[in-house]
Every structure is written in structure tokens, then in C-alpha cells.
Amino acid sequence: GRRGGAPSRDGTGRGGGGEKDLAATTDRIHSEDVLDAITGLVDKSVLSREDGPDGIRYRLLDTLRHYGLDRLRRLPGEEPAARRRQRDWMLRRATACERAWFGPGQRQIVARLRADQDNLRAALDFSLSTPGERLEGLRLAGTLWFYWHACGAPREGRHWLDRALAANPAPTRERARGLWIAGLLAAATQDLTAGLALARDAHALALDLGDEAEAAHADYVIGVITLFMDDLPTALRHFETSVGRGPVPGQHLSLHGLDQVELACALGFLGEADRAVEVCERARRMCERHGEEWVHSYVLRMLALAHTVQRDWQQAEIHARHALRLKLAVHDVTGIALTLDLLARIATETDAHERAAVLLGAADHTWTGIDRDRWGSATLKSARSDSETRSRAALGAPGYRRAYERGRGLGADLTETVDYAVHDTVPRDPNTARPRSAHTTTGVHLTRRETEVAELVAQGLANQQIADRLVIARRTAEGHVERILGKLGFSNRSQIAAWVTAQQ
């Protein structure tokens, strides 16, 4: 049992070096035996095999996981040693992802980290709960700044950063980084005042430590919160200085790119559209040289904003729709919400009032996971209020409400929301105000047996358990799962489970 139960270092049984590290720490298993051991465990349904964004992954059922942990805890020192190896693996993985973030592989990085959520949580919890490991926990939470901020996880990121900072009061570079990230995430989740204080503390500490890069990162957060607070002249001066200075050694190019985005935003809000376009075009060329998409999506949104100031609604809509496609690819919830607001304004200005109402409903639903009050920004709230007032007047109260509720229904699914905003083609069920799921309107049809299998997958059953439940061969169950994945265009079982839940 011990020989076959050894996982790889990322906690999923995935390959990539974990077998060698494990072999180096125990005499119970040799690296050349790992594949045979895992194959045997899969055949016995001890491990479940899944397609992941970076290859095959293996998982244990919860009952077997708890049994294995119980056995591990009976061996002195084995559990913390295994958890430390897993944490170190995740830290190296996160560091590599951060290093590659401003580049062409962002979609793959996001998919990989989303698949690794449980591994990251386990690594963070171990580090922050274990004396002597807490600085590594702060380092891991800080390394993941781009994931918390860019990929729709600001609240979870704030939770880990708050814990990590409380556990690491010493004035270190890791603390300086943790402070500005905590400030950024606090601002993104309603608390602008606390966010600004954290960013200023980070800036002061980084200067004391002589760390130019972390000081520049903290400076970005101070500027963007100033922009959120509608102090546009101060924000403009701040970002003119940052952009004019250029990137400092060690500064992440994403944050240098965002300095340019926020400069363009301040210029756009102040009516200086031509200057905003110039800034955006420079930033756009930088993103394109590196094959980058996340900052690029914000550059496109700023171009759309600049064109709204110029009242060039066609160009504004083209840029905003393109921005949404890129934002969905990295699951940028905040960026999607902001861009939906902008598209609602464009629809209002072009007298597409029903579309405006649908977009406002979708935007409001998307904002609920961030800040219903849109950070209290007078600029954002005023634009949204104007769109609602004009669309309600054009459609009448009942018509506006119907369109708005359709949009709120869309907002429950970011993919459907973006599909509507980009293509304007989400079908409607005539018997309900809510659009039907995209998968029920594109010719996808599961047989009765496939439907049964999909529902069992959603319950978390492995292939052998599905076979036992339905009294079929395991290979038959595997075939059904493969056909379901193919029909729905999915790559893993988690997507099937989410789809089943949506249908229900």
C-alpha cells in the first residue's frame, strides 16, 4: 500500500520530476516503478485519472486520502516532510508562472493554476500553520499576486495575504511585497481606505530596504487607488511620473504596462482622448511584442474609452468586444465587469436600448462578486446610472425590467455573458426570461445513458464506481465519459460536473 500510494510532489500524482524527488527521500519506491504503481492504482480505482490543462492528473477519493494521511501521521516526521516537499514544489511552480506571466502562455498558466487550487491552498495552509515555515507562506502568497488580481480570486488572495502578513511582522522584502498586494486586493474588494494605507506602508518599507522594484509596485497601487477615488488630477500626475520614469530594474512588466493603462484611463476620464490613444498604442505594441493578453485587454478597454470620448461608437465597440474576449481567456472578472459597463454605455449612445439593459443586468450581476457599489467611484456610477435612465425611458419600465433580468441571468455564467456581449446571439427560451444554456441550444444531445453517467461524474464518482452503480463494464463507463467530453467540447470531468449543475 505504501509503495503504490506515493503521489507526485504537486499532490495530484502528476509527473514532471516529483517521482525522482520522492525516490530520493525513501527506500520504499524507485522512480522506474512509479508508472507501474500508478497504473495499478488506477486499475483498482484507488486513483482516478483525469485530463488536465498540462497533461494527465491523478486524484484520490476523499476517503482514501484521509486513510492515507492517517497512515502517514503514524510515522514520525513523515507528514510535515511530505507537506514541505509539496509546498516547495508549488512555490517553484508559482515562481515559474509569475516569471512567464507577461508573455504568450497566460491562458495555459491560468488553466494550470486553477487546476492547482487545492494544491495551492494546502501549501499555503501548511506554511502559515507551521512554525518555521511561515515566511515561505508569505513568499508563495506574494508570488501569486497576478493570479489573485487578474484571474478572479481577489477575496481568496486577500484572505491568504492577511494571514501571511499577520504571521510575518518582520520588515522583509516578502512583507513589502505582501503589503502592496494586500492593498491592491483590499481596494478591489471595496476597502479603498485600507488598501491605500497598506500600499503606503509597502512603499515606505520597500524604500527602507532599498528595493526599487517593490517600491515601484507599491507606487502603482497607490496611483490606481487614487484613480478609484476619483482624484483624477492627482492620479494623472502620478502616472505621468511613473510612465515617464520607465520600468525600474526588477519591476514586473505587467505592472509597468498597467501604469500606462491607468495613465490612459485618467486622460480619458479628463477628456484628453487623443493623448489617451497615443499612450494606449505604445502599450499595445509592447504587449504584442511579448504575446501578452491580460494587460493588452485593459489597453483595448482604454482605447474603447478614448473612442467613446471622441464619440466614435463603432471603434469603441470593436475594441471593447476584443477586450472581453481576452479577459474571458484569463477569467478576469473585474475587467469583464468594467467592460460590460462600457459596452452598456456604447449601446445606450447608439440607441440599442434593449441591448444596453441586458448588458447592465449582466454587469450588475458580475459586480456582485467584486463590489456592488463599483468602489464608490462617481465616474463609474454616473455612467451606469445614465445608461439605465435612458434605456428605461426608451423601453418603458416593464420592457427595461425584462431585458435587465435577462442580463442578470446571463451574469451567472461568464462564458454566456461574454458570448452575448461579443456576438449578441444568445438564444432565448420563450417560456422564461432567462436565456437557455449555450449547450442546450447548439445541437448537443446526450443519450439517456450518457446523461446518467454525466450525473454520476457530477457526484464525484470514479469510472469504476460508475460502472458498479450502472452494472456495466469499467471500459464501457470510460467510453461514455470520453464521448460526453467530446460532445460538450470539454477537457476534464470538472467541466462536466459544472455543466450538469447548470442544467439542473
Side-chain angles (χ1 to χ4, degrees):
R2 287 279 299 165
R3 179 175 181 273
S8 70
R9 295 183 62 189
D10 69 351
T12 63
R14 185 178 165 271
E19 299 90 340
K20 293 180 181 178
D21 293 324
L22 185 62
T25 63
T26 179
D27 295 328
R28 300 184 184 92
I29 188 169
H30 298 287
S31 58
E32 61 268 21
D33 297 328
V34 170
L35 184 59
D36 287 342
I38 288 178
T39 301
L41 291 171
V42 171
D43 287 341
K44 296 177 179 67
S45 292
V46 174
L47 288 178
S48 61
R49 178 182 183 277
E50 297 179 0
D51 289 328
D54 47 0
I56 300 300
R57 290 177 171 237
Y58 300 90
R59 295 187 183 277
L60 280 167
L61 295 174
D62 282 344
T63 51
L64 293 174
R65 187 191 307 276
H66 291 307
Y67 172 77
L69 279 172
D70 181 62
R71 293 292 301 272
L72 195 64
R73 286 167 182 155
R74 298 180 189 183
L75 301 170
E78 285 287 331
E79 184 187 2
R83 291 191 181 278
R84 191 174 297 110
R85 290 196 302 273
Q86 189 266 354
R87 188 275 317 285
D88 291 346
W89 169 265
M90 294 314 302
L91 181 56
R92 289 196 297 273
R93 193 172 178 85
T95 300
C97 288
E98 185 203 21
R99 192 178 298 119
W101 178 244
F102 196 83
Q106 286 178 325
R107 300 183 187 210
Q108 292 76 20
I109 289 171
V110 174
R112 188 177 304 135
L113 292 177
R114 286 175 68 81
D116 268 332
Q117 284 182 112
D118 290 339
N119 289 322
L120 292 168
R121 290 165 183 159
L124 286 163
D125 189 59
F126 163 73
S127 300
L128 298 176
S129 304
T130 307
E133 306 292 343
R134 290 168 181 162
L135 184 61
E136 293 300 288
L138 177 57
R139 185 172 292 127
L140 176 56
T143 299
L144 290 165
W145 67 267
F146 64 96
Y147 177 69
W148 310 130
H149 181 49
C151 308
R155 294 184 189 280
E156 179 170 2
R158 188 178 180 188
H159 163 77
W160 292 117
L161 263 300
D162 287 349
R163 276 188 63 182
L165 289 168
N168 292 277
T172 61
R173 178 182 184 274
E174 289 82 1
R175 181 170 176 83
R177 167 170 279 217
L179 285 168
W180 70 255
I181 301 166
L184 180 61
L185 299 177
T189 54
Q190 304 180 2
D191 202 342
L192 295 179
T193 302
L196 187 58
L198 287 164
R200 286 173 172 163
D201 287 348
H203 190 258
L205 177 56
L207 290 178
D208 286 345
L209 296 171
D211 194 318
E212 283 188 275
E214 298 304 343
H217 296 155
D219 201 42
Y220 164 75
V221 180
I222 292 169
V224 79
I225 294 175
T226 303
L227 189 61
F228 286 171
M229 289 178 162
D230 296 310
D231 187 353
L232 299 180
T234 301
L236 177 62
R237 290 192 297 273
H238 181 100
F239 286 112
E240 283 179 329
T241 300
S242 297
V243 172
R245 176 196 64 211
V248 302
Q251 183 180 3
H252 202 285
L253 276 181
S254 290
L255 291 165
H256 172 59
L258 290 177
D259 277 337
Q260 298 172 75
V261 166
E262 308 307 348
L263 173 58
C265 185
L267 288 167
F269 283 153
L270 289 167
E272 297 188 46
D274 292 342
R275 285 187 62 198
V277 170
E278 290 176 11
V279 172
C280 285
E281 291 299 345
R282 287 197 299 272
R284 187 179 188 176
R285 287 192 292 273
M286 181 181 77
C287 293
E288 289 174 344
R289 282 197 306 273
H290 289 83
E292 197 277 349
E293 293 186 300
W294 176 58
V295 173
H296 193 178
S297 74
Y298 278 100
V299 172
L300 290 167
R301 181 180 172 273
M302 288 308 123
L303 278 170
L305 175 65
H307 285 296
T308 64
V309 173
Q310 295 171 331
R311 304 187 69 79
D312 184 348
W313 310 119
Q314 183 178 11
Q315 282 301 309
E317 186 153 27
I318 288 171
H319 289 309
R321 291 187 189 217
H322 188 187
L324 270 185
R325 293 189 192 98
L326 298 186
K327 291 181 180 301
L328 180 63
V330 296
H331 199 75
D332 180 4
V333 179
T334 301
I336 289 171
L338 286 163
T339 309
L340 290 171
D341 275 348
L342 186 56
L343 278 167
R345 179 185 171 190
I346 294 167
T348 302
E349 295 291 351
T350 55
D351 295 326
H353 294 292
E354 183 175 357
R355 172 175 165 82
V358 173
L359 290 169
L360 285 173
D364 284 353
H365 192 285
T366 306
W367 275 108
T368 56
I370 308 162
D371 180 2
R372 294 172 186 270
D373 195 41
R374 288 161 169 76
W375 306 308
S377 168
T379 304
L380 294 174
K381 291 195 294 183
S382 174
R384 187 234 174 270
S385 178
D386 179 65
S387 293
E388 177 179 353
T389 299
R390 292 168 62 182
S391 295
R392 188 184 292 273
L395 298 173
Y400 175 83
R401 175 54 56 182
R402 284 193 297 272
Y404 178 85
E405 290 301 329
R406 280 175 46 219
R408 284 192 64 82
L410 280 177
D413 184 320
L414 284 180
T415 301
E416 284 194 357
T417 298
V418 171
D419 188 54
Y420 173 82
V422 170
H423 302 295
D424 213 3
T425 56
V426 170
R428 299 176 218 166
D429 187 327
N431 297 316
T432 176
R434 178 168 178 168
R436 291 175 286 180
S437 165
H439 289 297
T440 65
T441 59
T442 56
V444 173
H445 173 70
L446 300 185
T447 65
R448 180 182 60 81
R449 180 63 87 187
E450 287 167 350
T451 300
E452 291 174 336
V453 171
E455 290 172 352
L456 294 175
V457 168
Q459 294 174 28
L461 272 63
N463 288 339
Q464 186 60 60
Q465 293 172 306
I466 293 172
D468 293 342
R469 181 75 63 87
L470 299 178
V471 195
I472 58 178
R474 180 173 175 275
R475 294 292 184 191
T476 303
E478 289 176 348
H480 284 311
V481 172
E482 292 300 321
R483 281 190 292 277
I484 292 165
L485 290 169
K487 283 186 176 183
L488 297 176
F490 292 158
S491 60
N492 60 61
R493 299 165 79 96
S494 298
Q495 291 173 302
I496 296 176
W499 181 82
V500 170
T501 301
Q503 302 310 301
Q504 293 171 345

